Amino acid sequence: TTGIASSYGVGASSLAPAQTAAIGVLCTGITTQPAAAGYGDYLEIANLQPSIGTAGSVVTGTRICGAFFNAAATPQTTHATACSFAIPFKVGVHFDEEESIKASPIASPDLMKAENDPAATKGAGYGYSGFYLNYWQNAC
């Protein structure tokens, strides 16, 4: 099945057999070559949460990367809205100087090693495409 790649793609998948989101310690800031791990790029959002939270429900993962934008604690295969209650709200961006590119087609055990999986046309983003972030603030 082909389709359109997402506007979000920052690094490689968190799991080897499927394109997924990655959060926390998986987003190391280091891309290792030759094509061993594609986690050199990430966004950092203080108090990143998969849903609306409060000061009592702080998550430890502040980094997000991967083929999908989803802050859930387990790897997800869909995009989702994420929340932060941090004041001030800020987004940090870390891009290293490397990209982890493999020859296509990429076998499923290697999806965490490559940022250019052709499956990006099924809703995931290419790991080197960057991001478009739409955000808003709710009243407390």
Side-chain angles (χ1 to χ4, degrees):
T1 306
T2 61
I4 298 173
S6 156
S7 66
Y8 174 84
V10 179
S13 171
S14 65
L15 293 177
Q19 284 288 15
T20 62
I23 63 164
V25 297
L26 282 174
C27 308
T28 62
I30 301 169
T31 300
T32 54
Q33 295 295 339
Y39 301 127
D41 304 336
Y42 61 83
L43 300 180
E44 188 155 18
I45 302 173
N47 297 320
L48 183 62
Q49 317 239 354
S51 60
I52 296 172
T54 64
S57 62
V58 175
V59 234
T60 56
T62 60
R63 294 179 179 181
I64 186 166
C65 61
F68 289 94
F69 186 86
N70 193 313
T74 57
Q76 300 294 309
T77 58
T78 59
H79 295 285
T81 299
C83 299
S84 170
F85 63 87
I87 299 173
F89 174 73
K90 52 184 185 172
V91 175
V93 178
H94 177 273
F95 292 140
D96 69 357
E97 69 278 359
E98 300 285 343
E99 298 297 337
S100 184
I101 306 297
K102 289 185 69 89
S104 188
I106 300 167
S108 65
D110 288 336
L111 293 178
M112 63 191 186
K113 299 177 183 178
E115 299 172 306
N116 64 314
D117 182 32
T121 59
K122 296 178 184 171
Y126 291 112
Y128 53 79
S129 60
F131 63 95
Y132 168 84
L133 187 62
N134 184 15
Y135 66 96
W136 63 93
Q137 182 176 355
N138 291 335
C140 295

